[in-house]
PDB file of all heavy atoms in Angstrom:
ATOM      1  N   PRO F 244       8.091  23.792 -13.449  1.00 96.00           N
ATOM      2  CA  PRO F 244       7.483  25.111 -13.652  1.00 96.00           C
ATOM      3  C   PRO F 244       6.154  25.216 -12.913  1.00 96.00           C
ATOM      4  O   PRO F 244       5.391  24.248 -12.834  1.00 96.00           O
ATOM      5  CB  PRO F 244       7.275  25.166 -15.168  1.00 96.00           C
ATOM      6  CG  PRO F 244       8.259  24.198 -15.731  1.00 96.00           C
ATOM      7  CD  PRO F 244       8.364  23.099 -14.718  1.00 96.00           C
ATOM      8  N   LYS F 245       5.893  26.368 -12.354  1.00 96.00           N
ATOM      9  CA  LYS F 245       4.646  26.659 -11.637  1.00 96.00           C
ATOM     10  C   LYS F 245       4.328  25.611 -10.572  1.00 96.00           C
ATOM     11  O   LYS F 245       3.245  25.028 -10.535  1.00 96.00           O
ATOM     12  CB  LYS F 245       3.488  26.789 -12.617  1.00 96.00           C
ATOM     13  CG  LYS F 245       3.654  27.922 -13.618  1.00 96.00           C
ATOM     14  CD  LYS F 245       2.470  28.028 -14.549  1.00 96.00           C
ATOM     15  CE  LYS F 245       2.656  29.174 -15.543  1.00 96.00           C
ATOM     16  NZ  LYS F 245       1.504  29.289 -16.492  1.00 96.00           N
ATOM     17  N   PRO F 246       5.270  25.366  -9.651  1.00 98.00           N
ATOM     18  CA  PRO F 246       5.056  24.327  -8.646  1.00 98.00           C
ATOM     19  C   PRO F 246       4.263  24.865  -7.454  1.00 98.00           C
ATOM     20  O   PRO F 246       4.088  26.070  -7.269  1.00 98.00           O
ATOM     21  CB  PRO F 246       6.475  23.984  -8.214  1.00 98.00           C
ATOM     22  CG  PRO F 246       7.184  25.312  -8.291  1.00 98.00           C
ATOM     23  CD  PRO F 246       6.586  26.003  -9.495  1.00 98.00           C
ATOM     24  N   SER F 247       3.824  23.943  -6.613  1.00 98.00           N
ATOM     25  CA  SER F 247       3.410  24.312  -5.265  1.00 98.00           C
ATOM     26  C   SER F 247       4.664  24.685  -4.479  1.00 98.00           C
ATOM     27  O   SER F 247       5.796  24.388  -4.897  1.00 98.00           O
ATOM     28  CB  SER F 247       2.709  23.130  -4.596  1.00 98.00           C
ATOM     29  OG  SER F 247       2.518  23.366  -3.211  1.00 98.00           O
ATOM     30  N   ASP F 248       4.482  25.318  -3.321  1.00 98.00           N
ATOM     31  CA  ASP F 248       5.634  25.570  -2.457  1.00 98.00           C
ATOM     32  C   ASP F 248       5.958  24.346  -1.595  1.00 98.00           C
ATOM     33  O   ASP F 248       6.936  24.350  -0.850  1.00 98.00           O
ATOM     34  CB  ASP F 248       5.429  26.816  -1.581  1.00 98.00           C
ATOM     35  CG  ASP F 248       4.049  26.884  -0.947  1.00 98.00           C
ATOM     36  OD1 ASP F 248       3.227  25.985  -1.169  1.00 98.00           O
ATOM     37  OD2 ASP F 248       3.786  27.882  -0.234  1.00 98.00           O
ATOM     38  N   HIS F 249       5.143  23.291  -1.704  1.00 98.00           N
ATOM     39  CA  HIS F 249       5.387  22.016  -1.031  1.00 98.00           C
ATOM     40  C   HIS F 249       5.696  20.951  -2.079  1.00 98.00           C
ATOM     41  O   HIS F 249       5.552  21.170  -3.283  1.00 98.00           O
ATOM     42  CB  HIS F 249       4.147  21.564  -0.249  1.00 98.00           C
ATOM     43  CG  HIS F 249       3.781  22.450   0.895  1.00 98.00           C
ATOM     44  ND1 HIS F 249       3.865  22.055   2.206  1.00 98.00           N
ATOM     45  CD2 HIS F 249       3.280  23.717   0.920  1.00 98.00           C
ATOM     46  CE1 HIS F 249       3.448  23.026   2.991  1.00 98.00           C
ATOM     47  NE2 HIS F 249       3.080  24.041   2.234  1.00 98.00           N
ATOM     48  N   THR F 250       6.091  19.771  -1.592  1.00 98.00           N
ATOM     49  CA  THR F 250       6.215  18.626  -2.483  1.00 98.00           C
ATOM     50  C   THR F 250       5.647  17.380  -1.818  1.00 98.00           C
ATOM     51  O   THR F 250       5.096  17.439  -0.713  1.00 98.00           O
ATOM     52  CB  THR F 250       7.665  18.410  -2.932  1.00 98.00           C
ATOM     53  OG1 THR F 250       7.670  17.583  -4.100  1.00 98.00           O
ATOM     54  CG2 THR F 250       8.518  17.787  -1.839  1.00 98.00           C
ATOM     55  N   PHE F 251       5.758  16.240  -2.481  1.00 99.00           N
ATOM     56  CA  PHE F 251       5.127  14.999  -2.033  1.00 99.00           C
ATOM     57  C   PHE F 251       5.974  14.277  -0.983  1.00 99.00           C
ATOM     58  O   PHE F 251       7.196  14.178  -1.124  1.00 99.00           O
ATOM     59  CB  PHE F 251       4.939  14.060  -3.223  1.00 99.00           C
ATOM     60  CG  PHE F 251       3.993  14.554  -4.273  1.00 99.00           C
ATOM     61  CD1 PHE F 251       4.397  15.502  -5.214  1.00 99.00           C
ATOM     62  CD2 PHE F 251       2.684  14.085  -4.343  1.00 99.00           C
ATOM     63  CE1 PHE F 251       3.526  15.956  -6.194  1.00 99.00           C
ATOM     64  CE2 PHE F 251       1.813  14.530  -5.315  1.00 99.00           C
ATOM     65  CZ  PHE F 251       2.238  15.467  -6.248  1.00 99.00           C
TER      66      PHE F 251
END
Side-chain angles (χ1 to χ4, degrees):
K245 298 181 180 179
S247 169
D248 45 0
H249 295 247
T250 198
F251 295 79

